[in-house]
Amino acid sequence: MRCDGAPPLTQAPIAPGASFDYRFVAPDAGTFWYHPPLPAGAGLYGALIIEETEPPDVDQQATLIYAESHLNSDPRLKVSGVDDYGIFVPANQRLRLRLINTAATKILRLRMAELRPFVMAIDGEPAQPFGARGGELTLGPGNRIDVIVDCVLAPNQNAPMRIDGADRLNSPVVKIWGDPKAPARASRRDEPKSLPPNSLPEHMDFRDAFRFEAVIGQARADKRDAPLFTVKRGRTVTLGLSNPTSANGFIHLHGHSFRLLDALDDGWKPFWLDTMPIAPQGKARVAFVADNPGKWLLEGLDGANAWFEVT
């Protein structure tokens, strides 16, 4: 039985006082997370890290989880494995950060202006490494980003990580410190190499692609028990996504990863996603190979009513 944590579509809800064991094989390495079908602050959530069989050569790792506070208006960044919101790194050592945005609706913009983070993976899937422009990283609701940062700080010097648009404007949520107690590397490293690839297709066949137009917030009261669409396993699917509302929207594709298509249909972005924000009055087009049989939610469209099936 395939359990996607989407009751009643893929399984029955877990009754109060009851328990349920999820057992699965983790085929791909990456940064993932688990959460209830609610805002993460209202239930159990956490990071799920699948390590590479050939991990990158880094000196330290840390997982940073952003969660909205339900007690006041200030955002929080809950940091796993970091003492006092500080990460201490000797000069020229390499740090891997796994960033997770658990917010239900907030687009998170982090800035590391004093350091140069290299984006290594997005939503758990390796990307062609690229330097974040201006040290800024943008994570939509549910997004994950893995970055590698080389410490170029002098001992006791610090580089803050800030959240743009936070209530406490420009207050650092994490500081990376030049560690005065540990030995430094003699010289800086070369730019990081790509992470080992996961089992995603190198090409997509658009000649017989299934095409579907989806609208955020569109009600489907007359088709609650029917899928948005059904496709055969292995077929390419393109989704046209539009957000006619005045609020930020998002799409989260269960069971698959997609590419963001270029505006002129002449290529796609060099990374995979499973979650993507869509600006007010915005549009986007994505494509994926329906290689995972089962019933899968399209979160962000119309709640649990928006799902598709791969046969």
Side-chain angles (χ1 to χ4, degrees), residues 85-102:
Y85 294 97
I87 303 173
F88 291 83
V89 186
N92 296 321
Q93 285 201 5
R94 179 158 283 181
L95 172 67
R96 179 178 185 170
L97 296 176
R98 300 175 186 263
L99 309 172
I100 304 175
N101 180 14
T102 72

Side-chain angles (χ1 to χ4, degrees), residues 84-192:
D84 298 324
Y85 294 97
I87 303 173
F88 291 83
V89 186
N92 296 321
Q93 285 201 5
R94 179 158 283 181
L95 172 67
R96 179 178 185 170
L97 296 176
R98 300 175 186 263
L99 309 172
I100 304 175
N101 180 14
T102 72
T105 59
K106 183 178 179 62
I107 296 176
L108 178 64
R109 292 182 174 87
L110 294 172
R111 287 189 293 114
M112 303 174 63
E114 289 83 354
L115 296 173
R116 187 188 182 195
F118 280 91
V119 176
M120 303 300 296
I122 303 176
D123 289 351
E125 301 297 342
Q128 180 180 330
F130 61 92
R133 183 179 299 177
E136 182 173 304
L137 302 163
T138 301
L139 294 86
N143 272 143
R144 292 91 64 205
I145 293 181
D146 286 33
V147 300
I148 280 180
V149 181
D150 289 330
C151 183
V152 293
L153 302 173
N156 292 317
Q157 182 184 7
N158 73 79
M161 179 183 293
R162 307 178 190 276
I163 298 178
D164 279 358
D167 289 348
R168 294 175 180 174
L169 185 62
N170 288 330
S171 60
V173 290
V174 172
K175 288 182 178 180
I176 298 175
W177 291 85
D179 192 344
K181 299 179 181 179
R185 284 185 173 271
S187 61
R188 295 183 61 179
R189 298 173 182 253
D190 294 333
E191 292 188 357

Side-chain angles (χ1 to χ4, degrees), residues 34-270:
Y34 56 89
H35 60 95
L38 296 167
L44 179 67
Y45 68 97
L48 177 61
I49 306 300
I50 313 298
E51 295 183 346
E52 295 87 0
T53 54
E54 298 179 9
D57 181 16
V58 298
D59 299 291
Q60 295 186 48
Q61 297 192 55
T63 300
L64 282 62
I65 302 178
Y66 172 87
E68 289 181 306
S69 172
H70 292 268
L71 301 178
N72 52 53
S73 60
D74 288 333
R76 294 177 180 176
L77 190 72
K78 297 184 177 180
V79 184
S80 171
V82 177
D83 294 330
D84 298 324
Y85 294 97
I87 303 173
F88 291 83
V89 186
N92 296 321
Q93 285 201 5
R94 179 158 283 181
L95 172 67
R96 179 178 185 170
L97 296 176
R98 300 175 186 263
L99 309 172
I100 304 175
N101 180 14
T102 72
T105 59
K106 183 178 179 62
I107 296 176
L108 178 64
R109 292 182 174 87
L110 294 172
R111 287 189 293 114
M112 303 174 63
E114 289 83 354
L115 296 173
R116 187 188 182 195
F118 280 91
V119 176
M120 303 300 296
I122 303 176
D123 289 351
E125 301 297 342
Q128 180 180 330
F130 61 92
R133 183 179 299 177
E136 182 173 304
L137 302 163
T138 301
L139 294 86
N143 272 143
R144 292 91 64 205
I145 293 181
D146 286 33
V147 300
I148 280 180
V149 181
D150 289 330
C151 183
V152 293
L153 302 173
N156 292 317
Q157 182 184 7
N158 73 79
M161 179 183 293
R162 307 178 190 276
I163 298 178
D164 279 358
D167 289 348
R168 294 175 180 174
L169 185 62
N170 288 330
S171 60
V173 290
V174 172
K175 288 182 178 180
I176 298 175
W177 291 85
D179 192 344
K181 299 179 181 179
R185 284 185 173 271
S187 61
R188 295 183 61 179
R189 298 173 182 253
D190 294 333
E191 292 188 357
K193 298 179 180 180
S194 300
L195 298 174
N198 284 337
S199 54
L200 289 169
E202 294 183 5
H203 305 283
M204 286 186 274
D205 185 359
F206 290 93
R207 292 171 298 178
D208 187 39
F210 179 86
R211 303 178 190 278
F212 186 82
E213 299 296 319
V215 180
I216 288 179
Q218 180 174 304
R220 300 181 63 247
D222 59 332
K223 298 181 179 179
R224 289 185 178 274
D225 298 324
L228 291 172
F229 57 85
T230 299
V231 293
K232 292 292 185 181
R233 184 179 186 180
R235 190 174 182 185
T236 297
V237 177
T238 65
L239 294 177
L241 306 168
S242 60
N243 177 14
T245 73
S246 58
N248 285 314
F250 78 99
I251 182 73
H252 173 49
L253 181 69
H254 283 227
H256 300 79
S257 295
F258 58 79
R259 294 275 201 182
L260 176 61
L261 299 179
D262 291 336
L264 299 178
D265 267 0
D266 56 354
W268 52 57
K269 302 304 180 188

